[in-house]
Amino acid sequence: MAINYFKIYTFEKLSIMNFNISDILSQLNVNQINEAFSTGKYWGSSDDTPIKPIISPVDGKLIASVKIATSENYEYVVQKAEKAFKSWKNIPAPKRGEIIREIGEALRKNKEPLGKLVSYEMGKSLQEGYGEVQEMIDITDFAVGLSRQLYGLTMHSERPQHRMYEQYHPLGIVGIISAFNFPVAVWSWNAMLAWVCGDVCIWKPSEKTPLTAIACQHIAQKVFEKHGIEEGVSNLIIGDREIGEYMTKDSRLPLISATGSTRMGKAVGAAVGARLGKSLLELGGNNAIIITENADLDMSLIGAVFGAVGTAGQRCTSTRRLIIHESVYEKFKLKLINAYKQIKIGNPLDENNHMGPLIDHDAVSLYLQSIENCKAEGGKFVVEGGKLEGENYASGCYVKPCIAEVENHFSIVQHETFAPILYLIKYADLENAIILQNGVPQGLSSAIMTTNLRESELFLSANGSDCGIANVNIGTSGAEIGGAFGGEKETGGGRESGSDSWKVYMRRQTNTINYSKTLPLAQGIKFDL
């Protein structure tokens, strides 16, 4: 069994949308973990260890309580990870890939209960919960293929009878700090690639969504156990900000991959940089869709509405701004207003609903304050927001998606608000629209809606979008694992998931082999003795 410091302290028997949360946890074998920790088999803390209640934003009910790890627990986990790395890195990469393939199969078998748990614990729609589990499955497939493609380079030496090449070696312990909005997918993007590269991982999930993390850890660890892999390759530690600070300052963790706000990322980057470690930062987004006069407006509407209200606007790739050509502005605004009237808000486990709750009451307060700030700057709301009240919204975390007409320079527009607030901005020419699109501190995702080839090519050129992701005729939200995911500027510059993102989890080494009987020096230097 994995050595991981957390304990599920209590379970609540809750019936939600015709399923029992305890039954779901049982299907995922989380109850078995609870029993093991209750007996003290894997738990080494004292009884006064802090206990954190886990409340679902769906209905405001207690799902479980978890114990928070201490500094002693953290130290124990790191030592186990260090020991496990010594053996894991020496397993051939294709063999590591086979283990990851089996983890993917285990995720497939547990897709339904795990997707439901994601939905209930975090508050995203059930289909999005299933989709998040599918992302984990997809990245395992990618990692399996990668296990036979960790290529280096060969190059010609300027010295006779010399050979030069580059190869990649595992880094060691990879620290993963993930956010609540994608409680398991982002972990998998990092862990599957790190594992196939020969690294071991310590995962600190958001303290708001630890149960999905515990379930995933258990699923993966069962596969490691089956193959007799030493405990410590996969590690989970439930903790607050203090645990995150231990990780970022710990030189035994050569890479920290952190997902969260720009403010958090700056603190992580500074701490890791101070010890000359490596950081992979996936931070805030302030994503815009440019809708040109040549856009298919019906297609644009789908991309804009899902991008703005999907996950209740709590994606880093959520659509925050629509930059609309003046010739179609009023027509498209009317389409948006009519579409927003049809959005169904409620329990995300009901597949008839389009939007669930925000993560907690703090998020609701931030949403309400952002609306007031927008109005104070001169924003005009064409679809009013507000908190939803009533029996169906008893958790106090449900809000209305809203739309405001603004100017791009407004202070509130320049910031990322993790909520379903959509800003409308009018433009006259495409060059100006691109300036507006780029005129925010963040640089994650962007899109243009057009049927004009010249417009799309300008948007994708060096004079176009400055974001890490630039799409044509699809929205800003959603990404496939085959491409590298990440953004520029205050988004942090990191890249996860596909393409050659695997290289960040390894150290590159240049090798020169002299197979001659002399020792010629580079650049023709003479050094005769």
Side-chain angles (χ1 to χ4, degrees):
M1 186 66 187
I3 300 297
N4 306 296
Y5 279 93
F6 55 81
K7 176 182 177 182
I8 302 175
Y9 191 71
T10 60
F11 276 119
E12 294 294 313
K13 294 186 179 299
L14 302 172
S15 293
I16 310 297
M17 297 301 299
N18 299 318
F19 78 85
N20 186 289
I21 187 64
S22 292
D23 290 344
I24 294 299
L25 293 169
S26 179
Q27 289 181 55
L28 295 168
N29 294 318
V30 176
N31 300 58
Q32 294 178 17
I33 299 177
N34 191 42
E35 292 169 4
F37 278 85
S38 295
T39 62
K41 186 176 180 182
Y42 306 113
W43 181 247
S45 70
S46 60
D47 290 337
D48 60 356
T49 300
I51 296 171
K52 180 176 177 59
I54 307 303
I55 306 297
S56 171
V58 173
D59 52 20
K61 294 181 179 179
L62 178 71
I63 311 175
S65 298
V66 296
K67 282 193 172 183
I68 300 298
T70 65
S71 59
E72 291 80 9
N73 303 149
Y74 171 77
E75 182 60 30
Y76 189 77
V77 168
V78 174
Q79 290 182 15
K80 280 291 178 182
E82 283 186 307
K83 184 173 182 291
F85 175 60
K86 294 177 181 179
S87 57
W88 177 247
K89 69 180 178 180
N90 288 316
I91 296 175
K95 297 295 184 183
R96 296 194 296 257
E98 172 61 19
I99 293 170
I100 292 170
R101 185 192 66 77
E102 292 188 22
I103 292 173
E105 290 302 311
L107 290 170
R108 281 182 172 89
K109 292 176 182 177
N110 289 280
K111 180 176 178 178
E112 182 177 355
L114 186 54
K116 288 179 179 177
L117 182 58
V118 168
S119 179
Y120 182 59
E121 186 177 30
M122 184 267 153
K124 63 175 58 177
S125 74
L126 185 57
Q127 288 302 316
E128 290 182 81
Y130 290 149
E132 181 161 353
V133 180
Q134 187 61 49
E135 283 193 45
M136 291 198 290
I137 295 167
D138 292 343
I139 198 64
T140 61
D141 289 346
F142 182 88
V144 173
L146 186 62
S147 69
R148 295 180 183 271
Q149 300 180 77
L150 299 174
Y151 299 136
L153 294 172
T154 61
M155 59 281 293
H156 291 280
S157 172
E158 67 183 46
R159 291 169 286 186
Q161 295 185 305
H162 282 60
R163 182 167 68 90
M164 293 180 65
Y165 67 94
E166 290 180 345
Q167 61 177 334
Y168 289 83
H169 295 298
L171 276 176
I173 304 174
V174 173
I176 303 170
I177 301 173
S178 61
F180 74 85
N181 58 331
F182 280 87
V184 291
V186 172
W187 161 73
S188 71
W189 291 357
N190 287 274
M192 302 307 164
L193 297 194
W195 287 338
V196 82
C197 289
D199 300 318
V200 300
C201 297
I202 297 176
W203 178 20
K204 179 200 168 301
S206 169
E207 59 270 28
K208 298 177 182 180
T209 52
L211 293 185
T212 47
I214 292 170
C216 287
Q217 164 66 17
H218 187 72
I219 289 168
Q221 185 57 33
K222 281 291 185 183
V223 178
F224 285 120
E225 286 180 358
K226 173 187 170 183
H227 288 271
I229 301 300
E230 183 174 6
E231 60 192 18
V233 173
S234 177
N235 300 279
L236 175 70
I237 188 161
I238 306 299
D240 52 20
R241 180 179 297 178
E242 186 177 30
I243 293 295
E245 290 175 351
Y246 291 153
M247 294 172 69
T248 58
K249 295 177 181 178
D250 193 339
S251 60
R252 293 171 295 180
L253 279 61
L255 171 65
I256 298 293
S257 175
T259 303
S261 68
T262 296
R263 180 172 58 85
M264 180 274 280
K266 288 180 177 179
V268 169
V272 177
R275 58 177 174 86
L276 297 181
K278 296 172 67 175
S279 58
L280 192 168
L281 302 176
E282 295 290 355
L283 311 176
N286 195 346
N287 316 296
I289 300 176
I290 296 174
I291 299 174
T292 78
E293 59 187 319
N294 298 301
D296 180 325
L297 296 187
D298 291 333
M299 181 189 295
S300 302
L301 185 67
I302 296 170
V305 174
F306 175 73
V309 307
T311 324
Q314 296 173 115
R315 292 184 178 214
C316 53
T317 56
S318 290
T319 304
R320 311 286 176 203
R321 299 174 294 145
L322 292 183
I323 303 171
I324 309 170
H325 191 270
E326 58 187 8
S327 66
V328 296
Y329 183 89
E330 293 298 331
K331 182 178 181 179
F332 194 74
K333 180 174 73 173
L334 183 60
K335 281 180 172 287
L336 279 170
I337 293 170
N338 290 333
Y340 268 51
K341 292 176 182 177
Q342 301 173 49
I343 294 172
K344 296 177 182 178
I345 307 166
N347 191 315
L349 295 162
D350 182 345
E351 296 188 60
N352 292 314
N353 290 326
H354 301 109
M355 192 181 100
L358 296 179
I359 186 64
D360 56 23
H361 294 160
D362 289 342
V364 174
S365 297
L366 180 61
Y367 157 84
L368 294 173
Q369 186 59 56
S370 296
I371 290 175
E372 293 306 310
N373 291 347
C374 182
K375 290 179 178 178
E377 288 193 81
K380 176 186 175 184
F381 279 82
V382 296
V383 175
E384 290 289 341
K387 183 178 175 182
L388 290 167
E389 307 286 352
E391 183 180 350
N392 293 332
Y393 312 114
S395 70
C397 295
Y398 290 86
V399 300
K400 300 175 185 176
C402 54
I403 304 173
E405 295 179 295
V406 299
E407 297 293 334
N408 199 64
H409 66 266
F410 286 2
S411 176
I412 190 62
V413 178
Q414 292 286 308
H415 291 85
E416 178 190 44
T417 301
F418 237 45
I421 304 175
L422 181 62
Y423 301 119
L424 306 186
I425 302 164
K426 188 184 297 186
Y427 83 91
D429 64 85
L430 185 56
E431 287 78 6
N432 179 247
I434 292 172
I435 291 172
L436 293 171
Q437 137 70 38
N438 295 340
V440 292
Q442 309 83 2
L444 178 53
S445 187
S446 59
I448 189 170
M449 295 292 185
T450 180
T451 58
N452 184 294
L453 178 63
R454 289 177 176 174
E455 289 180 334
S456 65
E457 288 298 322
L458 176 60
F459 182 73
L460 299 177
S461 74
N463 295 316
S465 170
D466 65 359
C467 293
I469 298 170
N471 298 326
V472 176
N473 291 330
I474 61 172
T476 63
S477 188
E480 297 182 37
I481 59 93
F485 180 89
E488 300 302 321
K489 300 188 295 189
E490 288 193 358
T491 300
R495 292 297 186 275
E496 294 172 322
S497 186
S499 186
D500 64 350
S501 299
W502 61 271
K503 292 180 179 178
V504 76
Y505 304 96
M506 306 193 83
R507 58 182 177 87
R508 180 160 51 181
Q509 184 181 78
T510 300
N511 307 113
T512 305
I513 300 173
N514 176 8
Y515 58 93
S516 74
K517 295 181 180 180
T518 61
L519 183 55
L521 301 178
Q523 292 86 42
I525 296 173
K526 300 295 183 182
F527 190 74
D528 296 324
L529 293 176

